[in-house]
Amino acid sequence: MKKVNTSDFAKQIRIESLKMVYSAKASHIGGALSMADILAVLYNEILSYDPANPNWSKRDRFLLSKGHACVSLYATLALKGFFPMDVLDTYAQNGSLLLSHSSHKIPGVEISAGSLGHVLSICCGLAYGAKIKNEPWRTFCLAGDGELNEGSMWEAIMFASHHKLEKLILIIDYNKIQAMGNTNDILNLEPLQLKFENFGWAVREINGHKIDELKNTFSQLPFEKGKPSAIIAHTIKGKGVDFMEDSLAWHYKNPNEEQFLNALNQIKQQ
């Protein structure tokens, strides 16, 4: 897929994600929709990669930590030509490579994910190795806000600042809802920007649905020399579908036919 209008690309990611979840009677559409704009900007404007050569040594590494929301990543990769679009029709079916949590067997997927709170540590290892070897590529990690309940995240956050991994970028999909409730009711993260700054990171806090703001923020990387960069992207669970937005139910719930057609129509009209 050639470079397209990024807003249109985000819309297409949402459409394909919704189709996959509905067809497979699967979960996690809310979290997939909340990060669609982030993925659209990264893959249409920011990342260096080659769909014809997914293992190109100079590619930027993108790792999805919230692996349960993988449909939007699968949609992004298919739309960008990493694999044929019709493979999306096999999502979560018996024998399919498109597992319901992101799988490294898919071209363009760097790591299988699903055990939350672990992928940032892997990203630290990648970024540290790249620094030692003086490699030009960057490492991007997209994580959910609920993952910040995990101690492993904060160990990695300390490691990254200690080793001055300035080519490491952590993006928090801060949709404020996790599996069992509102994130800050379960374990309050605030003041989140100050926490990252006190851990030695350079931080930007942005609207994760404004394409221009996302593009402008990513274009400023690294934010400070010698520091890893954190982007706290305020998002809305279920973004783009009025009855899914800010709703805990759509962390796990799958749409029936009426809900699917309603949601699809809403997204198409945006």
Side-chain angles (χ1 to χ4, degrees):
M1 180 181 180
K2 295 180 180 179
K3 185 175 178 179
V4 296
N5 176 276
T6 304
S7 294
D8 291 340
F9 185 37
K11 180 189 296 188
Q12 199 60 40
I13 292 170
R14 287 190 167 93
I15 289 170
E16 297 302 330
S17 299
L18 183 64
K19 287 179 179 178
M20 278 186 275
V21 167
Y22 171 68
S23 177
K25 295 181 168 39
S27 302
H28 305 305
I29 187 61
L33 295 177
S34 69
M35 67 182 191
D37 297 302
I38 297 169
L39 290 173
V41 173
L42 283 172
Y43 278 87
N44 208 45
E45 307 275 359
I46 304 300
L47 297 176
S48 294
Y49 61 88
D50 181 1
N53 183 16
N55 295 321
W56 174 44
S57 63
K58 303 301 182 184
R59 72 190 182 281
D60 287 327
R61 273 63 167 173
F62 173 82
L63 283 76
L64 177 64
S65 191
K66 45 179 288 185
H68 54 285
C70 60
V71 287
S72 53
L73 177 58
Y74 291 157
T76 300
L77 295 173
L79 288 162
K80 282 298 182 182
F82 282 84
F83 54 88
M85 287 293 296
D86 59 8
V87 175
L88 297 180
D89 297 336
T90 71
Y91 170 69
Q93 304 298 321
N94 287 339
S96 174
L97 292 178
L98 295 183
L99 305 180
S100 58
H101 284 65
S102 54
S103 169
H104 68 278
K105 293 186 178 182
I106 303 303
V109 177
E110 300 284 349
I111 188 74
S112 297
S115 185
L116 298 176
H118 292 177
V119 171
L120 183 57
S121 296
I122 297 170
C123 290
C124 284
L126 289 170
Y128 191 37
K131 180 179 180 180
I132 291 171
K133 295 179 180 180
N134 198 29
E135 294 283 356
W137 47 269
R138 302 167 294 176
T139 303
F140 291 76
C141 179
L142 177 54
D145 47 6
E147 292 188 74
L148 291 171
N149 294 171
E150 300 279 1
S152 55
M153 290 288 289
W154 295 99
E155 290 181 60
I157 289 165
M158 286 190 290
F159 180 95
S161 61
H162 178 80
H163 290 285
K164 298 179 172 54
L165 302 181
E166 68 177 42
K167 290 184 179 179
L168 173 65
I169 303 95
L170 172 62
I171 308 152
I172 302 296
D173 180 12
Y174 201 3
N175 62 37
K176 303 172 187 66
I177 296 176
Q178 60 191 86
M180 299 301 172
N182 292 331
T183 302
N184 286 335
D185 290 338
I186 292 171
L187 193 60
N188 188 19
L189 297 174
E190 293 298 338
L192 189 53
Q193 179 168 347
L194 185 59
K195 282 185 172 72
F196 272 101
E197 289 173 346
N198 286 339
F199 273 70
W201 286 57
V203 189
R204 298 289 185 275
E205 197 160 0
I206 66 170
N207 185 323
H209 297 306
K210 288 189 176 295
I211 299 298
D212 288 343
E213 190 171 348
L214 284 161
K215 182 179 177 181
N216 180 60
T217 302
F218 286 128
S219 70
Q220 296 176 37
L221 294 167
F223 300 142
E224 292 184 39
K225 184 173 178 58
K227 289 185 177 183
S229 299
I231 299 170
I232 302 170
H234 290 272
T235 60
I236 298 171
K237 196 101 166 184
K239 175 66 174 177
V241 180
D242 58 8
F243 62 88
M244 293 182 180
E245 289 189 352
D246 274 329
S247 172
L248 174 62
W250 294 100
H251 186 88
Y252 286 119
K253 189 176 179 180
N254 62 282
N256 59 32
E257 183 178 10
E258 181 181 356
Q259 291 167 331
F260 166 68
L261 293 174
N262 184 354
L264 192 62
N265 185 55
Q266 287 188 43
I267 294 171
K268 286 181 176 180
Q269 290 184 356
Q270 291 168 14

